[in-house]
Amino acid sequence: MAFWWPLLVLGIAFVICRFLLLLIPPNVPSIEVDASDVLEDGSQTKENSYIYIPSKGKQVQKDKVQCYEPATMKYLGFYPALTSDEVRMHVAQARKAQKIWANSSFRQRRQFLRILLKYIIEHQALICEVSSRDTGKTMVDASLGEIMTTCEKITWLLAEGERWLKPEFRSSGRSMLHKRSKVEFHPLGVIGAIISWNYPFHNIFNPMLAAVFSGNGVVIKVSEHSSWSGCFYFRIIQAALLAVGAPDNLVHVITGFAETGQALVSSVDKIIFVGSPGVGRMIMQRASETLIPVTLELGGKDAFIVCEDVDVPHVVQIAVRGALQSSGQNCAGAERFYVHRDIYPTFVAQIVKLVKSVTAGPPLSGKYDMGAICMQEHADKLQNLVNDAVEKGAEIVGRGSFGNLGEDVVDQFFPPTVIVNVNHTMKLMQEEAFGPIIPIMKFDTDEEVIKLANDSNYGLGCAVFSGNQKRAIAIVSQIHCGVAAVNDFASTYMCQSLPFGGVKHSGFGRFAGVEGLRACCLVKSVVEDRWWPYIKTKIPKPIQYPISDNGFEFQETLVEALYGLNLWDRLRALVGVLKMISEQNSSSQTDKRRE
């Protein structure tokens, strides 16, 4: 007892000291970011707030990216569509800065993250308003999808990022017992990211945080549908980098169309793409020319499975959130609903009641549950999917309502819609909708719903609800997808320690978590002498050049000594190895005396 008592006291004192240190706030400077030109404060003139009327049909690529509010069609301005040469210039600047940043300390990198976190927490309304104006989403959806996920990623990197980037020691195996083996993680250089429009703030910060924290430079091409907000968010990053003394041009945000994206893929050391499967294929083809690694996060058609033993009102709330989040602009959104036959009528009735209470409208002009759809003419695609389902026997049983919409923006909204009597012959159950549609199909057995969930070209995520958690886990384990939630929806993305990504047409590779962080690194295997210089590798006499007559016999015996399944066989082989080495040494000494 006398021996353990001092150790116990020291341990308690250590814990108390650590706790007290947590109460001392870190010294994090504030940054100033000019937001005067992005706030809707009523001071806009007619020239910079007129109604934007986009041309119908395929958008002609010009030298400008036109920006407007999808919920009101107010014009926001334009940004240049960069040429290939301009993109290469940006990458070259980032590469020069990265060579300096690669030698930065983790302390400096953590301070960069803390500055960003402080700014985000203090300016949540500003960030969400900018996102809302550029993509049409509500303030609540912007907070959930933009603010919370980004803050979670930053706090995870602060807590664990350095740990996962330090050298990791591995087993050296039996034949290399005298060696020490490790894996080192070095920055790749310049990471390129081509991101989608659905979460403009988080989609910029997600690849940027991992790239910069792991010592890389990064060049991000924002979507032509969210360039206005993306360029403002870039100012936040620039200010934080300046505050920690990072080199100029470490991070770039660029704007443009297909030519800009193609040039980026051809110039960087790795590409991260978030978008459609069709464009993903073109990214892969382009990346194959320079043989750079690729991470693709593509479409989703996530299954939302509801067993008969659930709390229906609770699951209905989650289901509607999963389907209507950000007007269908959600990542890993629920798009196929499978409900057990026993509760199907009750579930449908309650979800229809809830959806009918949802109102769509300009998110910043009133209290609306759902905003506009960002992409031009996407409402037409959604209506075509609904029409195809109805023609094949489906039935629309409930729709939400619209708020006070102007005549110029009515095409930017689509009413939340509940459809029943659907099946897998319908496009609505096979093609990615990316819209506020809830198609509900009934099932009888767990085996049946697993088969239905796997009947898709996509494999991003799924959600399974059951009063029996073991049952839900068993169903999840048999669904072929990259992320899964048990009795919840999209919770996997809020756990930033977990990798995120899909299979099949939903892409490959992972971002977030340890896997995403290390994917920004050159993974280098290193083997060194464990007890240098006392024990070093020495080639045994029997297999030194010129190889002796019993060289192969020696190798056979050595393999058995190292890897034999039976301990006694291994010991016997070891004796044989030592005997051959001894004989070979004796023979060499005899030859030397004769000489």
Side-chain angles (χ1 to χ4, degrees), residues 48-218:
N48 64 12
S49 64
Y50 65 83
I51 299 299
Y52 179 72
I53 303 176
S55 58
K56 292 289 184 179
K58 187 176 181 181
Q59 187 175 19
V60 179
Q61 294 188 12
K62 299 180 180 179
D63 59 348
K64 296 179 181 179
V65 177
Q66 306 284 5
C67 305
Y68 61 93
E69 293 183 10
T72 64
M73 299 306 291
K74 287 183 179 178
Y75 187 64
L76 295 172
F78 67 88
Y79 289 90
L82 299 188
T83 65
S84 298
D85 289 340
E86 290 171 324
V87 172
R88 284 190 283 270
M89 179 191 69
H90 280 277
V91 173
Q93 291 174 345
R95 197 175 299 284
K96 183 178 179 179
Q98 186 275 329
K99 294 184 185 303
I100 301 171
W101 183 251
N103 297 316
S104 63
S105 66
F106 281 111
R107 181 179 180 181
Q108 185 180 14
R109 299 177 195 181
R110 279 194 295 270
Q111 186 71 336
F112 168 63
L113 298 188
R114 291 191 188 100
I115 291 171
L116 287 175
L117 184 60
K118 181 178 181 179
Y119 182 88
I120 293 168
I121 293 171
E122 293 176 350
H123 297 83
Q124 296 180 58
L126 169 63
I127 293 168
C128 290
E129 183 177 334
V130 171
S131 175
S132 176
R133 291 188 67 191
D134 206 16
T135 64
K137 67 179 62 180
T138 65
M139 293 287 284
V140 170
D141 283 332
S143 177
L144 288 169
E146 307 274 31
I147 301 296
M148 287 188 68
T149 50
T150 304
C151 289
E152 187 66 35
K153 188 176 188 72
I154 291 174
T155 53
W156 178 79
L157 282 170
L158 285 170
E160 299 187 40
E162 180 179 356
R163 168 192 170 192
W164 294 112
L165 291 176
K166 284 185 174 181
E168 182 178 285
F169 288 90
R170 304 280 180 89
S171 167
S172 295
R174 294 178 180 175
S175 62
M176 292 287 128
L177 282 175
H178 60 298
K179 297 289 186 178
R180 184 169 56 182
S181 303
K182 61 181 178 180
V183 180
E184 295 179 347
F185 303 94
H186 302 274
L188 279 172
V190 178
I191 307 293
I194 301 175
I195 60 173
S196 62
W197 42 266
N198 54 341
Y199 289 104
F201 180 75
H202 180 68
N203 285 350
I204 285 178
F205 275 68
N206 185 33
M208 183 278 297
L209 290 167
V212 171
F213 192 80
S214 55
N216 294 281
V218 61

Side-chain angles (χ1 to χ4, degrees), residues 485-514:
V486 174
N487 287 322
D488 206 342
F489 170 76
S491 54
T492 45
Y493 202 70
M494 282 305 297
C495 299
Q496 282 291 315
S497 64
L498 297 176
F500 184 85
V503 295
K504 298 189 283 190
H505 288 191
S506 292
F508 57 85
R510 296 293 184 266
F511 54 76
V514 179

Side-chain angles (χ1 to χ4, degrees), residues 345-578:
T346 303
F347 186 89
V348 170
Q350 291 192 25
I351 210 166
V352 167
K353 181 180 178 181
L354 183 57
V355 166
K356 284 184 176 179
S357 70
V358 174
T359 304
L364 296 179
S365 61
K367 186 179 179 182
Y368 292 103
D369 304 292
M370 204 183 82
I373 293 171
C374 187
M375 294 180 67
Q376 297 172 18
E377 303 178 28
H378 189 62
D380 293 338
K381 175 189 174 182
L382 297 178
Q383 191 58 54
N384 290 335
L385 292 176
V386 170
N387 293 343
D388 175 76
V390 171
E391 290 171 4
K392 293 176 180 176
E395 179 185 357
I396 299 173
V397 292
R399 287 195 129 168
S401 58
F402 286 141
N404 183 25
L405 300 181
E407 183 178 340
D408 296 309
V409 300
V410 68
D411 291 340
Q412 297 298 112
F413 291 85
F414 192 87
T417 304
V418 183
I419 301 180
V420 297
N421 300 330
V422 294
N423 59 61
H424 281 210
T425 66
M426 301 170 183
K427 294 179 181 178
L428 183 59
M429 297 297 281
Q430 296 293 340
E431 297 180 9
E432 185 179 30
F434 232 63
I437 305 174
I438 306 176
I440 309 175
M441 186 174 178
K442 65 184 69 171
F443 71 90
D444 290 304
T445 66
D446 294 357
E447 292 75 18
E448 178 189 7
V449 78
I450 291 167
K451 184 177 180 181
L452 288 169
N454 287 328
D455 181 26
S456 173
N457 288 329
Y458 296 100
L460 189 53
C462 74
V464 179
F465 293 81
S466 172
N468 183 335
Q469 182 156 309
K470 289 184 178 179
R471 177 187 180 189
I473 292 172
I475 294 173
V476 160
S477 67
Q478 298 177 71
I479 296 177
H480 194 201
C481 63
V483 296
V486 174
N487 287 322
D488 206 342
F489 170 76
S491 54
T492 45
Y493 202 70
M494 282 305 297
C495 299
Q496 282 291 315
S497 64
L498 297 176
F500 184 85
V503 295
K504 298 189 283 190
H505 288 191
S506 292
F508 57 85
R510 296 293 184 266
F511 54 76
V514 179
E515 293 79 2
L517 184 61
R518 289 179 170 180
C520 294
C521 299
L522 165 63
V523 180
K524 182 183 294 185
S525 299
V526 179
V527 177
E528 59 193 27
D529 289 318
R530 189 186 299 275
W531 297 292
W532 187 88
Y534 305 106
I535 298 178
K536 295 182 287 187
T537 299
K538 185 176 181 181
I539 299 175
K541 284 286 186 180
I543 57 173
Q544 287 183 4
Y545 291 117
I547 296 174
S548 63
D549 294 338
N550 65 342
F552 183 72
E553 180 186 356
F554 172 83
Q555 273 299 116
E556 276 189 311
T557 311
L558 178 61
V559 169
E560 186 174 355
L562 290 170
Y563 309 111
L565 297 178
N566 184 288
L567 178 59
W568 297 111
D569 289 343
R570 288 167 56 192
L571 289 173
R572 186 176 62 252
L574 179 59
V575 171
V577 167
L578 296 174

